[in-house]
Amino acid sequence: MIDVAPESKKAKDLKGDFWDAKNIQISIGEIITEEKPPEEEVKGPKPRPHVTDLRSWDMKLLERYEPFYAPFCDMCCLCTYGKCELLGKKGACGIDAATQQARTVLLACLIGTAAHAGHARHLVDHLIERLGEDYKIDLGSNVDIEAPITRTVMGKRPATLGDLREVMDYAEEQMSHLLSACHTGQEGDSKDFESKAFHAGLMDDLTREVADLAQIVALDLPKGDEDAPLVELGFGTIDTEKPVVLCIGHNVLPGADIVDYLDENEMEDQVEVCGICCAAIDVTRYNEAAKVVGPLSKQLRFIRSGVADVIVVDEQCVRTDVLEEALKNRSAVIATTDKMCLGLPDMTDEDPDKIVNDLINGNIEGALILDPEKVGEVAVKTAMKLAPIRKSLKKLPDIDEIIELASECTDCGWCQRVCPNSLPVMDAVKKAADGDLSKLEEMAIEELCYTCGRCEQECERNIPIVSMVTKAGERRVKDEKYRIRAGRGPAQDVEIRRVGAPIVLGDIPGVVAFVGCSNYPEGGKDVALMAKEFLERNYIVVTTGCGAMSIGEYRDEDGQTLYEKYGGQFDAKGLVNMGSCVSNAHVSGAAIKIANIFAQKPLEGNFEEIADYILNRVGACGVAWGAYSQKAAAIATGVNRWGIPVVLGPHGSKYRRLFLGRADDEEKWKLKDLRTGEVIDGEPAPEHLLYAAENREEATVMIAKLCIRPTDTPKGRQMKLSNYIDLHRKYLGTIPDDIDRFIRTEKDIPIVYKRDVMKILEEKNWKPRELPKEPSLLER
Amino acid sequence: MIVLNDRIIPWQPTVIAGPKQAMLVTPETATMMIKKARRPLMVVGPLAKRQEVLEHTVKIIRHFDLPVVATADTYRALSEAGIESEPHGIVEITNLLKDPSWEGIRGEGQHDLVIFIGCIYYIASQGLSSLKHFAPHIKTLTICKTFHSNADASFPNMDDDEWFRYLEKMYAE
């Protein structure tokens, strides 16, 4: 048989009439029409679960990890009965404060899920249009379980892009039911709202997997390659002498077509293509010559710097005032998706050269172009023409101007009061007025300021504080040169085979996933320091999105970034950048694959058994230190439903809901031992399902604790407790007072700490207890 | 438009949650609240590790013989200052305080007054909101230098000098 697929998988090569013959394969001597393989048999009880089908599992989780609500607002403002105040009262519709919080959380999760689902739907439909619905889902010989979430939820493996569309149909239907439950006069119980939020999270997981699978196979992104290339990261890597095209957002298609256009016209060396947020990650997965400016926190700073000649925005996490900001510097803006049109004229059907001329001449403020290929051409041509014109523009205030602007400060102090992290903004401005820019520079370099711009909005003298911070940081920009490993996609099956037993038995003390956005309390360095801590302790460290970038922006004492120091293998001491936001699906995917490949649990339609397995055996913990978005809420809630705990940074408390366990209530931790059928005493492992820590030190200790699982062998438990005790001693100065809860027999006690721990056990009148053989929350 | 007194607008103004606002208290009133409480609890956060704040905090704890919970990594600083405390995350202690049947830090029953100092403003605000809504059995008092509208009673916004004078008054009687 002759393989007729083109060698190149570049987006541009996937166009044309050739694919109209997509269902035809050519073999010697005959033409055969490909036959679809028969539908796989569903093995588990709940394929394509409807909203209430997994409710019993949710209630088990919620009984152990009760929702902890911290209302952001005392009111409900959703209908015209109100506003209703819910402080100790019910609203006009009968809703109470707890239920209203749960409802708000469900709404947030659905917004997040819709963002991923909209992204996935766009990718799938677009790629089907280019490649045909029979285009194969093939992640290569090292990844047989290509879609663990889809297999589990849908009850079958997706073989083609067309199958992914079917997954989207199902997820969108579920989202519609879930959203309807938020209407006034529908759901009236907080735990049922939470069960629905779990379901929204699961749909989020599913659609993220669809999005990443589609782009991996169709655009030939790395397929679980531990040696994915190291790509350039940081402001300082951008060659400002060249025209610069900046991509912001999450959808790879416009960025991929920009790279293709350059490639096709042999202009690769003439234009810099860079990105912020997940678009950056995914474009560098597509082409390693592209560069990552940095996480979301860099957005306004980079736009204000004026370096970008053209700003291409797609969807999610883009500043909604991007056009206004870009116009200040005469950067051209191209909007590329239906999610964000910015009031711009739709130029999709216009001649590319006319669009370029309109942009250059200022006939239009920007352009909405819904054809990624056309975006590629227009972005490059515009950048080439605009760059020389813009060179003469002054984009930032100079030092004298900063001093003059700063002297306008009236000492009102409101800039620091509205700063999310209460940074000493006014102090920095006052110092600048005296000619000392060091505090402004510190805010830029240490990334303490994530350039939200609220200080400027509040300033009664309209002092452009973010521009001043940007300018003050300018002289150090050249030092901002780092390396990040391009997102590799999923863990390979062979890797799961290798680490499955050590993870379940505890020999690898845990898998820690640093994911999410950059709403950090004290800069991105904290994420890198936590990653370093766990890498040095033999954990598997997984990362995605802005978290992956923040890890890359740190150099250790040897001057190396962690990506240069640690390999990309899914194994102990591996630093595994899986990719963008949507690649978070591979984090839960890896845990699911452990249940399937190591423990031989069937996936199809078998959600509860898989989640139960993960909760009790897979020592994984997610960390979303700078989570800010509704997407992050959906991701965390989805991951939680699979039984994986998540630690948030302090801003995460604003999500209004956590899932906290009560270690002091022994009844909550009883387990069913499926081997013996007995109900036995358990332990708070993992103690919480969704937790917000006040600072890095607290988070680090909590992460180590949340990797403990009932199935740890004594040797594995010793290792996990060693880490927990070490970190507790490092940051709090003592052996943790709750250590007795995690010692089942004396064999669990780390040898180094034996004497001290034994003393605590004696004080607490500790008694040994049985190790569960097959711990479960399920009834079987 | 009437401009409210800056001292009683929440330090981060957008944490205003609704019509109910904390009562602005003086050091004398704060002292009275602690004395009147049967089972008060002091929650000390990481911003209290700053030397001057720590010194005042330690003196207040000793003056009133308060049981103490240290949030985040504050335990070590308190311990080195000779104060015995119990480490809990701020969300963990808030969760325990919500439960009327919890036996409290000293096992003597649920606390009836919680005094906060040194916790990061916005997460403390969320914790206070949780207690405001779901722990009617507890009064909350914040003695930070920032006004917390979600508490039952709070010091106003002020600078360090005034704040330290406030704190000193609490133990100098």
Side-chain angles (χ1 to χ4, degrees), chain A residues 69 71 688 694-695 729-730, chain B residues 71 73 76 92 129-130 133:
Chain A
Y69 294 117
H688 304 296
E694 209 171 353
N695 63 13
R729 289 184 73 216
K730 181 173 177 178
Chain B
T71 71
D73 61 334
R76 180 195 280 266
E92 281 180 324
S129 170
S130 192
H133 277 272

Side-chain angles (χ1 to χ4, degrees), chain A residues 752-766:
Chain A
V752 184
Y753 295 115
K754 185 128 195 172
R755 204 172 55 180
D756 293 330
V757 170
M758 284 304 294
K759 200 174 151 202
I760 293 173
L761 296 184
E762 278 163 27
E763 283 168 10
K764 298 211 172 193
N765 199 23
W766 169 87

Side-chain angles (χ1 to χ4, degrees), chain A residues 68-72 74 87 414 417 419-420 422 650-651 653 662 687-688 691 694-695 698 729-730 732 734, chain B residues 6 9-13 17 20 46 71-73 75-76 89 92 96 99 119-120 122 126 129-130 132-133 157:
Chain A
F68 167 92
Y69 294 117
F72 216 27
D74 296 344
L87 183 59
W414 276 87
R417 288 180 65 171
C419 173
S422 300
H651 285 293
S653 61
R662 281 283 298 269
E687 184 169 335
H688 304 296
Y691 185 84
E694 209 171 353
N695 63 13
E698 178 190 351
R729 289 184 73 216
K730 181 173 177 178
L732 280 81
T734 60
Chain B
D6 276 2
I9 296 175
W11 171 252
Q12 292 194 337
K20 185 180 181 294
T71 71
D73 61 334
Y75 177 89
R76 180 195 280 266
E92 281 180 324
L96 291 169
D99 177 0
C119 295
I120 291 173
Y122 51 89
Q126 289 300 96
S129 170
S130 192
K132 180 173 78 171
H133 277 272
N157 298 314

Side-chain angles (χ1 to χ4, degrees), chain A residues 386-406:
Chain A
L386 201 52
I389 301 169
R390 290 183 71 253
K391 262 208 161 55
S392 59
L393 292 174
K394 189 163 78 66
K395 292 138 193 163
L396 288 171
D398 58 30
I399 304 297
D400 289 341
E401 275 177 296
I402 287 181
I403 294 169
E404 197 182 322
L405 287 163

Side-chain angles (χ1 to χ4, degrees), chain A residues 174-426:
Chain A
Q174 295 303 303
M175 286 162 59
S176 174
H177 289 299
L178 291 167
L179 186 56
S180 76
C182 297
H183 191 275
T184 303
Q186 301 254 40
E187 187 55 78
D189 179 81
S190 62
K191 285 193 174 172
D192 264 310
F193 264 127
E194 295 298 354
S195 170
K196 291 175 170 66
F198 277 139
H199 199 58
L202 184 63
M203 294 307 107
D204 186 67
D205 239 2
L206 193 61
T207 56
R208 274 184 278 114
E209 185 173 81
V210 166
D212 212 32
L213 258 187
Q215 62 184 11
I216 288 174
V217 298
L219 301 179
D220 198 21
L221 308 187
K223 299 180 174 73
D225 177 10
E226 69 176 77
D227 295 319
L230 288 166
V231 298
E232 292 190 88
L233 160 73
F235 269 34
T237 64
I238 312 299
D239 183 351
T240 54
E241 295 302 311
K242 293 180 185 172
V244 175
V245 178
L246 169 70
C247 301
I248 311 176
H250 288 75
N251 194 321
V252 70
L253 295 172
D257 275 306
I258 291 167
V259 171
D260 284 350
Y261 184 83
L262 289 170
D263 193 26
E264 193 174 87
N265 292 280
E266 297 179 353
M267 296 168 69
E268 305 95 317
D269 298 332
Q270 294 176 41
V271 176
E272 287 280 82
V273 179
C274 56
I276 285 177
C277 208
C278 285
I281 293 256
D282 282 342
V283 176
T284 54
R285 292 166 86 186
Y286 183 64
N287 186 313
E288 61 188 277
K291 293 171 181 174
V292 181
V293 173
L296 184 60
S297 50
K298 309 280 189 194
Q299 192 170 177
L300 188 54
R301 197 177 142 210
F302 194 73
I303 295 171
R304 288 270 178 100
S305 76
V307 166
D309 296 299
V310 174
I311 300 173
V312 176
V313 298
D314 49 82
E315 56 186 292
Q316 306 158 36
C317 304
V318 184
R319 280 193 71 95
T320 49
D321 61 354
V322 63
L323 181 62
E324 180 189 332
E325 287 293 337
L327 287 172
K328 289 178 189 169
N329 284 329
R330 271 213 74 190
S331 305
V333 171
I334 302 174
T336 60
T337 73
D338 55 350
K339 314 299 183 299
M340 189 179 207
C341 301
L342 295 171
L344 295 171
D346 187 348
M347 310 292 276
T348 309
D349 297 326
E350 289 288 347
D351 173 64
D353 290 321
K354 180 182 179 327
I355 305 173
V356 174
N357 281 335
D358 283 348
L359 285 168
I360 299 294
N361 297 330
N363 298 338
I364 51 175
E365 290 189 326
L368 172 66
I369 306 175
L370 299 172
D371 173 357
E373 194 180 22
K374 193 171 282 185
V375 171
E377 180 179 352
V378 172
V380 171
K381 284 182 170 173
T382 306
M384 293 293 287
K385 285 192 175 177
L386 201 52
I389 301 169
R390 290 183 71 253
K391 262 208 161 55
S392 59
L393 292 174
K394 189 163 78 66
K395 292 138 193 163
L396 288 171
D398 58 30
I399 304 297
D400 289 341
E401 275 177 296
I402 287 181
I403 294 169
E404 197 182 322
L405 287 163
S407 67
E408 293 281 313
C409 174
T410 59
D411 293 7
C412 75
W414 276 87
C415 48
Q416 31 204 63
R417 288 180 65 171
V418 298
C419 173
N421 288 323
S422 300
L423 291 176
V425 183
M426 187 184 77

